[in-house]
Amino acid sequence: MRERLQELKSEALEKIKHSSNLKELNDLRVSYLGKKGPITEVLRGMGKLSAEERPKIGALANAIRESISEVITEKRSELEKAAVQKKLEAETIDVTLPGRPVKRGSRHPLTKMIEEVEDLFIGMGYKVAEGPEVEIDYYNFEALNLPKGHPARDMQDSFYITEDLLMRTHTSPVQARTMEKHKGKGPVKIICPGKVYRRDNDDATHSHQFTQIEGLVVDENITMADLKGTLEVFAKKIFGEDREIRLRPSFFPFTEPSVEMDISCKICGGEGCRVCKQTGWIEILGAGMVHPNVLRMAGFDPEKYTGFAFGMGPERIAMLKYGIDDIRHFYTNDIRFLQQFSVQE
Ligand code: FA5
């Protein structure tokens, strides 16, 4: 019996030594120290022993149980430590790895263009004004010397909501609204950026919804030379000294005389292309001296005050500045197009 117990001990110690995980170790504990284990089995035969032998074998069995238990405890802590170590190694953070770049958005190129023009004019003492996109016929047309039935209304095909209400076709109604607020007293010096809507067919340079920036200056002794000088400063600052501009006589019912300003086409360098419709020039704004009727209707005395106004298309300006060949790029939000403008600001 003694030998059998010693045998069991060395067998158990050997298995414990080679156990490779906590589950295996626990199974060994249950099998050697449990009630159904081989040690208990051996002890069942104690009845056959002499009274003298019995306590000795009992004491030996207990000592063996204890030493197996101790070895299991030691092995458990060893396995636990190894498991923690393994986990730590698997989860090591390499602080020298470069970080993943964070994708940054950027302001829309059109927003940037508008802000650039705004900054330029604010620097020249202009205030920024606003007006509604849903406009009444009076401000969009009548107050601008375009009475009902005037043929020039056809120049701007309109989206009507009711007979008297429409999506504004230009930012010029803000001229009339601003002058009214000044109650006949100058100076007025504003720019007004905003969205406008027209029933135009979309193509490389036309969109049915686009933006305009209106400018208006009303004061005593304002002349065409002031308008020309202002537009020249604008063109040189935005496009650079080397770009050519030209003023062409034009017609707008709310200005007299009227002009349109063209810039030499950047895409083809003036040779003629799809964007400039083979002319080498792109029209970017309309302008002129405020018509006396417009001044009068808004409460200004045309004998005392004169003024100039202009309305430009920031999409066309951005196209010329950055060499963008289709206005629709601004509205289709293709990330590849927009990313070209995501320079760190
Ligand atoms: C006007 O809208 C006048 N209100 C401008 C003006 C203001 C003249 C003050 C005199 C005094 P016009 O229809 O030409 O004018 O448009 C002005 C600018 O808007 C054009 O030069 C062009 O740059 C831009 N534009 C016009 N139609 C479109 C369109 N469909 N898509 C994109 N840009 C356009």
Side-chain angles (χ1 to χ4, degrees):
M1 203 172 260
R2 223 178 263 276
E3 274 148 36
R4 178 69 190 131
L5 284 172
Q6 290 297 356
E7 244 175 63
L8 283 172
K9 181 184 171 188
S10 28
E11 184 190 301
L13 293 184
E14 189 64 13
K15 283 189 182 165
I16 292 166
K17 193 173 153 196
H18 290 107
S19 69
S20 59
N21 60 53
L22 288 165
K23 165 146 192 346
E24 211 178 290
L25 188 66
N26 197 44
D27 290 347
L28 287 173
R29 185 183 61 78
V30 172
S31 86
Y32 280 96
L33 304 179
K35 281 192 184 127
K36 291 178 189 156
I39 297 179
T40 318
E41 190 63 47
V42 173
L43 293 179
R44 276 210 191 100
M46 284 230 291
K48 289 178 204 149
L49 296 175
S50 64
E52 199 184 313
E53 263 306 87
R54 227 178 276 155
K56 287 186 186 159
I57 292 293
L60 177 66
N62 280 343
I64 287 175
R65 268 207 182 107
E66 240 163 67
S67 68
I68 291 177
S69 174
E70 259 168 39
V71 175
I72 286 178
T73 310
E74 272 166 30
K75 184 74 183 179
R76 183 183 296 126
S77 84
E78 190 184 301
L79 286 176
E80 277 171 356
K81 264 191 212 149
V84 170
Q85 189 59 29
K86 204 170 157 196
K87 205 170 167 208
L88 281 177
E89 270 162 27
E91 289 175 3
T92 312
I93 297 166
D94 181 354
V95 290
T96 64
L97 274 179
R100 287 197 194 103
V102 178
K103 276 200 182 141
R104 289 184 57 179
S106 62
R107 279 178 308 153
H108 194 276
L110 194 53
T111 309
K112 277 193 190 172
M113 192 69 248
I114 292 172
E115 286 176 358
E116 194 180 333
V117 176
E118 267 178 17
D119 284 350
L120 173 64
F121 281 98
I122 289 169
M124 293 198 276
Y126 286 68
K127 294 233 153 45
V128 179
E130 278 185 352
E133 285 174 31
V134 178
E135 188 53 283
I136 52 174
D137 186 277
Y138 176 78
Y139 287 114
N140 197 81
F141 290 129
E142 270 183 64
L144 297 172
N145 204 26
L146 274 150
K148 285 210 164 78
H150 194 291
R153 284 192 175 208
D154 294 347
M155 284 165 78
Q156 300 179 357
D157 256 345
S158 322
F159 290 112
Y160 273 92
I161 294 165
T162 66
E163 212 175 301
D164 205 35
L165 208 58
L166 72 158
M167 300 307 289
R168 68 177 175 193
T169 53
H170 50 177
T171 42
S172 299
V174 185
Q175 284 187 34
R177 286 178 174 273
T178 309
M179 280 192 275
E180 271 186 9
K181 277 190 205 137
H182 276 74
K183 301 201 185 316
K185 269 197 80 169
V188 178
K189 207 171 172 189
I190 55 128
I191 53 159
C192 165
K195 288 195 186 114
V196 301
Y197 305 81
R198 283 187 201 176
R199 286 200 300 129
D200 276 349
N201 289 327
D202 290 2
D203 64 21
T205 53
H206 290 83
S207 173
H208 58 282
Q209 183 259 291
F210 57 103
T211 54
Q212 281 192 339
I213 302 176
E214 192 82 7
L216 172 72
V217 174
V218 179
D219 204 351
E220 290 174 36
N221 303 319
I222 297 290
T223 70
M224 189 84 181
D226 297 313
L227 170 64
K228 195 173 170 230
T230 305
L231 293 181
E232 253 168 13
V233 169
F234 156 76
K236 301 270 179 208
K237 288 269 190 235
I238 298 291
F239 298 105
E241 297 290 325
D242 53 337
R243 295 294 282 285
E244 286 186 62
I245 63 163
R246 71 174 185 191
L247 292 178
R248 275 181 294 108
S250 184
F251 169 76
F252 296 103
F254 32 93
T255 46
E256 180 59 36
S258 304
V259 291
E260 273 176 323
M261 186 166 94
D262 300 337
I263 301 264
S264 57
C265 180
K266 181 181 180 169
I267 314 231
C268 60
E271 301 265 293
C273 67
R274 177 175 87 103
V275 175
C276 61
K277 307 220 161 61
Q278 314 304 329
T279 63
W281 297 92
I282 298 190
E283 170 211 317
I284 57 157
L285 61 83
M289 299 306 292
V290 182
H291 197 288
N293 286 351
V294 174
L295 287 170
R296 204 174 293 116
M297 272 187 279
F300 274 77
D301 177 2
E303 297 298 323
K304 186 175 174 200
Y305 286 106
T306 49
F308 68 74
F310 55 82
M312 61 178 82
E315 284 89 344
R316 300 236 181 120
I317 296 168
M319 286 171 80
L320 286 164
K321 191 170 159 107
Y322 300 115
I324 297 164
D325 66 357
D326 200 310
I327 196 170
R328 288 164 287 205
H329 288 312
F330 291 112
Y331 300 111
T332 40
N333 283 335
D334 184 332
I335 202 86
R336 291 165 302 179
F337 169 72
L338 297 175
Q339 266 170 354
Q340 297 175 65
F341 300 87
S342 67
V343 196
Q344 300 284 326
E345 287 161 34

PDB file of all heavy atoms in Angstrom, residues 276-298:
ATOM      1  N   CYS A 276     -14.562  78.722 -72.999  1.00  0.00           N
ATOM      2  CA  CYS A 276     -14.775  80.122 -73.401  1.00  0.00           C
ATOM      3  C   CYS A 276     -15.530  80.198 -74.728  1.00  0.00           C
ATOM      4  O   CYS A 276     -15.608  81.259 -75.335  1.00  0.00           O
ATOM      5  CB  CYS A 276     -13.439  80.862 -73.470  1.00  0.00           C
ATOM      6  SG  CYS A 276     -12.291  80.169 -74.673  1.00  0.00           S
ATOM      7  N   LYS A 277     -16.069  79.075 -75.129  1.00  0.00           N
ATOM      8  CA  LYS A 277     -16.830  78.983 -76.384  1.00  0.00           C
ATOM      9  C   LYS A 277     -16.028  79.548 -77.553  1.00  0.00           C
ATOM     10  O   LYS A 277     -16.517  80.332 -78.365  1.00  0.00           O
ATOM     11  CB  LYS A 277     -18.187  79.690 -76.249  1.00  0.00           C
ATOM     12  CG  LYS A 277     -18.990  79.199 -75.049  1.00  0.00           C
ATOM     13  CD  LYS A 277     -20.464  79.057 -75.340  1.00  0.00           C
ATOM     14  CE  LYS A 277     -21.173  78.171 -74.351  1.00  0.00           C
ATOM     15  NZ  LYS A 277     -21.176  78.569 -72.967  1.00  0.00           N
ATOM     16  N   GLN A 278     -14.770  79.185 -77.589  1.00  0.00           N
ATOM     17  CA  GLN A 278     -13.820  79.531 -78.658  1.00  0.00           C
ATOM     18  C   GLN A 278     -13.538  81.028 -78.781  1.00  0.00           C
ATOM     19  O   GLN A 278     -12.967  81.471 -79.768  1.00  0.00           O
ATOM     20  CB  GLN A 278     -14.301  78.998 -80.044  1.00  0.00           C
ATOM     21  CG  GLN A 278     -14.790  77.562 -80.068  1.00  0.00           C
ATOM     22  CD  GLN A 278     -13.749  76.567 -79.543  1.00  0.00           C
ATOM     23  OE1 GLN A 278     -12.555  76.783 -79.676  1.00  0.00           O
ATOM     24  NE2 GLN A 278     -14.214  75.489 -78.932  1.00  0.00           N
ATOM     25  N   THR A 279     -13.897  81.824 -77.755  1.00  0.00           N
ATOM     26  CA  THR A 279     -13.671  83.276 -77.889  1.00  0.00           C
ATOM     27  C   THR A 279     -12.380  83.739 -77.207  1.00  0.00           C
ATOM     28  O   THR A 279     -11.896  84.841 -77.459  1.00  0.00           O
ATOM     29  CB  THR A 279     -14.824  84.077 -77.250  1.00  0.00           C
ATOM     30  OG1 THR A 279     -14.838  83.776 -75.841  1.00  0.00           O
ATOM     31  CG2 THR A 279     -16.172  83.741 -77.862  1.00  0.00           C
ATOM     32  N   GLY A 280     -11.847  82.926 -76.285  1.00  0.00           N
ATOM     33  CA  GLY A 280     -10.653  83.344 -75.547  1.00  0.00           C
ATOM     34  C   GLY A 280     -10.985  84.194 -74.319  1.00  0.00           C
ATOM     35  O   GLY A 280     -10.105  84.545 -73.537  1.00  0.00           O
ATOM     36  N   TRP A 281     -12.284  84.517 -74.138  1.00  0.00           N
ATOM     37  CA  TRP A 281     -12.704  85.365 -73.016  1.00  0.00           C
ATOM     38  C   TRP A 281     -13.868  84.721 -72.273  1.00  0.00           C
ATOM     39  O   TRP A 281     -14.679  84.030 -72.881  1.00  0.00           O
ATOM     40  CB  TRP A 281     -13.193  86.728 -73.520  1.00  0.00           C
ATOM     41  CG  TRP A 281     -12.127  87.525 -74.205  1.00  0.00           C
ATOM     42  CD1 TRP A 281     -11.862  87.534 -75.543  1.00  0.00           C
ATOM     43  CD2 TRP A 281     -11.190  88.409 -73.582  1.00  0.00           C
ATOM     44  NE1 TRP A 281     -10.822  88.372 -75.814  1.00  0.00           N
ATOM     45  CE2 TRP A 281     -10.376  88.936 -74.631  1.00  0.00           C
ATOM     46  CE3 TRP A 281     -10.938  88.825 -72.274  1.00  0.00           C
ATOM     47  CZ2 TRP A 281      -9.349  89.836 -74.385  1.00  0.00           C
ATOM     48  CZ3 TRP A 281      -9.922  89.729 -72.045  1.00  0.00           C
ATOM     49  CH2 TRP A 281      -9.131  90.229 -73.081  1.00  0.00           C
ATOM     50  N   ILE A 282     -13.963  84.975 -70.979  1.00  0.00           N
ATOM     51  CA  ILE A 282     -15.142  84.509 -70.237  1.00  0.00           C
ATOM     52  C   ILE A 282     -15.743  85.688 -69.492  1.00  0.00           C
ATOM     53  O   ILE A 282     -15.032  86.443 -68.806  1.00  0.00           O
ATOM     54  CB  ILE A 282     -14.797  83.389 -69.238  1.00  0.00           C
ATOM     55  CG1 ILE A 282     -14.262  82.169 -69.995  1.00  0.00           C
ATOM     56  CG2 ILE A 282     -16.024  82.997 -68.427  1.00  0.00           C
ATOM     57  CD1 ILE A 282     -14.119  80.926 -69.167  1.00  0.00           C
ATOM     58  N   GLU A 283     -17.060  85.810 -69.652  1.00  0.00           N
ATOM     59  CA  GLU A 283     -17.751  86.911 -68.981  1.00  0.00           C
ATOM     60  C   GLU A 283     -17.910  86.564 -67.507  1.00  0.00           C
ATOM     61  O   GLU A 283     -18.338  85.465 -67.174  1.00  0.00           O
ATOM     62  CB  GLU A 283     -19.131  87.058 -69.645  1.00  0.00           C
ATOM     63  CG  GLU A 283     -20.064  87.988 -68.926  1.00  0.00           C
ATOM     64  CD  GLU A 283     -21.514  87.547 -69.098  1.00  0.00           C
ATOM     65  OE1 GLU A 283     -21.911  87.178 -70.215  1.00  0.00           O
ATOM     66  OE2 GLU A 283     -22.228  87.561 -68.080  1.00  0.00           O
ATOM     67  N   ILE A 284     -17.529  87.487 -66.626  1.00  0.00           N
ATOM     68  CA  ILE A 284     -17.685  87.158 -65.207  1.00  0.00           C
ATOM     69  C   ILE A 284     -18.608  88.114 -64.467  1.00  0.00           C
ATOM     70  O   ILE A 284     -19.088  87.795 -63.396  1.00  0.00           O
ATOM     71  CB  ILE A 284     -16.350  87.084 -64.445  1.00  0.00           C
ATOM     72  CG1 ILE A 284     -15.571  88.385 -64.569  1.00  0.00           C
ATOM     73  CG2 ILE A 284     -15.527  85.900 -64.882  1.00  0.00           C
ATOM     74  CD1 ILE A 284     -14.586  88.547 -63.435  1.00  0.00           C
ATOM     75  N   LEU A 285     -18.856  89.271 -65.042  1.00  0.00           N
ATOM     76  CA  LEU A 285     -19.777  90.148 -64.311  1.00  0.00           C
ATOM     77  C   LEU A 285     -20.437  91.177 -65.210  1.00  0.00           C
ATOM     78  O   LEU A 285     -19.948  91.510 -66.291  1.00  0.00           O
ATOM     79  CB  LEU A 285     -19.066  90.841 -63.137  1.00  0.00           C
ATOM     80  CG  LEU A 285     -17.874  91.774 -63.361  1.00  0.00           C
ATOM     81  CD1 LEU A 285     -18.337  93.178 -63.738  1.00  0.00           C
ATOM     82  CD2 LEU A 285     -17.056  91.850 -62.103  1.00  0.00           C
ATOM     83  N   GLY A 286     -21.573  91.642 -64.708  1.00  0.00           N
ATOM     84  CA  GLY A 286     -22.275  92.751 -65.337  1.00  0.00           C
ATOM     85  C   GLY A 286     -22.194  93.932 -64.378  1.00  0.00           C
ATOM     86  O   GLY A 286     -22.146  93.743 -63.167  1.00  0.00           O
ATOM     87  N   ALA A 287     -22.179  95.152 -64.923  1.00  0.00           N
ATOM     88  CA  ALA A 287     -22.037  96.324 -64.051  1.00  0.00           C
ATOM     89  C   ALA A 287     -22.557  97.572 -64.761  1.00  0.00           C
ATOM     90  O   ALA A 287     -22.935  97.522 -65.938  1.00  0.00           O
ATOM     91  CB  ALA A 287     -20.567  96.515 -63.675  1.00  0.00           C
ATOM     92  N   GLY A 288     -22.559  98.673 -64.059  1.00  0.00           N
ATOM     93  CA  GLY A 288     -22.968  99.930 -64.678  1.00  0.00           C
ATOM     94  C   GLY A 288     -23.257 100.995 -63.640  1.00  0.00           C
ATOM     95  O   GLY A 288     -23.128 100.757 -62.433  1.00  0.00           O
ATOM     96  N   MET A 289     -23.653 102.177 -64.136  1.00  0.00           N
ATOM     97  CA  MET A 289     -24.042 103.265 -63.239  1.00  0.00           C
ATOM     98  C   MET A 289     -25.520 103.088 -62.904  1.00  0.00           C
ATOM     99  O   MET A 289     -26.340 102.869 -63.813  1.00  0.00           O
ATOM    100  CB  MET A 289     -23.821 104.618 -63.921  1.00  0.00           C
ATOM    101  CG  MET A 289     -22.373 104.888 -64.311  1.00  0.00           C
ATOM    102  SD  MET A 289     -21.203 104.716 -62.930  1.00  0.00           S
ATOM    103  CE  MET A 289     -21.663 106.109 -61.913  1.00  0.00           C
ATOM    104  N   VAL A 290     -25.846 103.156 -61.627  1.00  0.00           N
ATOM    105  CA  VAL A 290     -27.235 102.899 -61.194  1.00  0.00           C
ATOM    106  C   VAL A 290     -28.186 103.839 -61.951  1.00  0.00           C
ATOM    107  O   VAL A 290     -27.973 105.065 -61.990  1.00  0.00           O
ATOM    108  CB  VAL A 290     -27.383 103.093 -59.665  1.00  0.00           C
ATOM    109  CG1 VAL A 290     -28.806 102.779 -59.217  1.00  0.00           C
ATOM    110  CG2 VAL A 290     -26.386 102.206 -58.918  1.00  0.00           C
ATOM    111  N   HIS A 291     -29.228 103.257 -62.556  1.00  0.00           N
ATOM    112  CA  HIS A 291     -30.185 104.030 -63.349  1.00  0.00           C
ATOM    113  C   HIS A 291     -30.928 105.025 -62.445  1.00  0.00           C
ATOM    114  O   HIS A 291     -31.343 104.667 -61.337  1.00  0.00           O
ATOM    115  CB  HIS A 291     -31.175 103.062 -63.994  1.00  0.00           C
ATOM    116  CG  HIS A 291     -31.936 103.665 -65.131  1.00  0.00           C
ATOM    117  ND1 HIS A 291     -32.920 104.607 -64.945  1.00  0.00           N
ATOM    118  CD2 HIS A 291     -31.851 103.464 -66.475  1.00  0.00           C
ATOM    119  CE1 HIS A 291     -33.416 104.966 -66.114  1.00  0.00           C
ATOM    120  NE2 HIS A 291     -32.780 104.287 -67.073  1.00  0.00           N
ATOM    121  N   PRO A 292     -31.114 106.276 -62.922  1.00  0.00           N
ATOM    122  CA  PRO A 292     -31.812 107.266 -62.088  1.00  0.00           C
ATOM    123  C   PRO A 292     -33.179 106.770 -61.610  1.00  0.00           C
ATOM    124  O   PRO A 292     -33.586 107.058 -60.476  1.00  0.00           O
ATOM    125  CB  PRO A 292     -31.970 108.471 -63.029  1.00  0.00           C
ATOM    126  CG  PRO A 292     -30.923 108.299 -64.067  1.00  0.00           C
ATOM    127  CD  PRO A 292     -30.649 106.833 -64.190  1.00  0.00           C
ATOM    128  N   ASN A 293     -33.885 105.995 -62.431  1.00  0.00           N
ATOM    129  CA  ASN A 293     -35.197 105.478 -62.003  1.00  0.00           C
ATOM    130  C   ASN A 293     -35.077 104.567 -60.784  1.00  0.00           C
ATOM    131  O   ASN A 293     -35.933 104.568 -59.905  1.00  0.00           O
ATOM    132  CB  ASN A 293     -35.857 104.665 -63.130  1.00  0.00           C
ATOM    133  CG  ASN A 293     -36.397 105.545 -64.232  1.00  0.00           C
ATOM    134  OD1 ASN A 293     -36.435 106.776 -64.074  1.00  0.00           O
ATOM    135  ND2 ASN A 293     -36.801 104.939 -65.345  1.00  0.00           N
ATOM    136  N   VAL A 294     -33.993 103.786 -60.744  1.00  0.00           N
ATOM    137  CA  VAL A 294     -33.784 102.856 -59.617  1.00  0.00           C
ATOM    138  C   VAL A 294     -33.498 103.658 -58.351  1.00  0.00           C
ATOM    139  O   VAL A 294     -34.051 103.379 -57.280  1.00  0.00           O
ATOM    140  CB  VAL A 294     -32.628 101.874 -59.935  1.00  0.00           C
ATOM    141  CG1 VAL A 294     -32.289 101.006 -58.730  1.00  0.00           C
ATOM    142  CG2 VAL A 294     -32.983 101.011 -61.138  1.00  0.00           C
ATOM    143  N   LEU A 295     -32.670 104.686 -58.496  1.00  0.00           N
ATOM    144  CA  LEU A 295     -32.370 105.545 -57.336  1.00  0.00           C
ATOM    145  C   LEU A 295     -33.645 106.188 -56.826  1.00  0.00           C
ATOM    146  O   LEU A 295     -33.960 106.161 -55.629  1.00  0.00           O
ATOM    147  CB  LEU A 295     -31.370 106.644 -57.739  1.00  0.00           C
ATOM    148  CG  LEU A 295     -29.918 106.212 -57.967  1.00  0.00           C
ATOM    149  CD1 LEU A 295     -29.123 107.347 -58.596  1.00  0.00           C
ATOM    150  CD2 LEU A 295     -29.263 105.779 -56.654  1.00  0.00           C
ATOM    151  N   ARG A 296     -34.430 106.719 -57.766  1.00  0.00           N
ATOM    152  CA  ARG A 296     -35.665 107.431 -57.402  1.00  0.00           C
ATOM    153  C   ARG A 296     -36.640 106.493 -56.690  1.00  0.00           C
ATOM    154  O   ARG A 296     -37.174 106.823 -55.632  1.00  0.00           O
ATOM    155  CB  ARG A 296     -36.288 108.025 -58.664  1.00  0.00           C
ATOM    156  CG  ARG A 296     -37.185 109.209 -58.392  1.00  0.00           C
ATOM    157  CD  ARG A 296     -37.691 109.877 -59.671  1.00  0.00           C
ATOM    158  NE  ARG A 296     -36.650 110.537 -60.444  1.00  0.00           N
ATOM    159  CZ  ARG A 296     -36.274 110.184 -61.683  1.00  0.00           C
ATOM    160  NH1 ARG A 296     -36.854 109.166 -62.297  1.00  0.00           N
ATOM    161  NH2 ARG A 296     -35.334 110.848 -62.320  1.00  0.00           N
ATOM    162  N   MET A 297     -36.847 105.288 -57.265  1.00  0.00           N
ATOM    163  CA  MET A 297     -37.801 104.349 -56.668  1.00  0.00           C
ATOM    164  C   MET A 297     -37.390 103.929 -55.258  1.00  0.00           C
ATOM    165  O   MET A 297     -38.219 103.612 -54.430  1.00  0.00           O
ATOM    166  CB  MET A 297     -37.947 103.105 -57.563  1.00  0.00           C
ATOM    167  CG  MET A 297     -39.021 103.272 -58.620  1.00  0.00           C
ATOM    168  SD  MET A 297     -39.315 101.754 -59.518  1.00  0.00           S
ATOM    169  CE  MET A 297     -37.985 101.779 -60.688  1.00  0.00           C
ATOM    170  N   ALA A 298     -36.085 103.935 -54.998  1.00  0.00           N
ATOM    171  CA  ALA A 298     -35.605 103.514 -53.668  1.00  0.00           C
ATOM    172  C   ALA A 298     -35.465 104.713 -52.724  1.00  0.00           C
ATOM    173  O   ALA A 298     -34.920 104.586 -51.629  1.00  0.00           O
ATOM    174  CB  ALA A 298     -34.270 102.800 -53.810  1.00  0.00           C
TER     175      ALA A 298
END
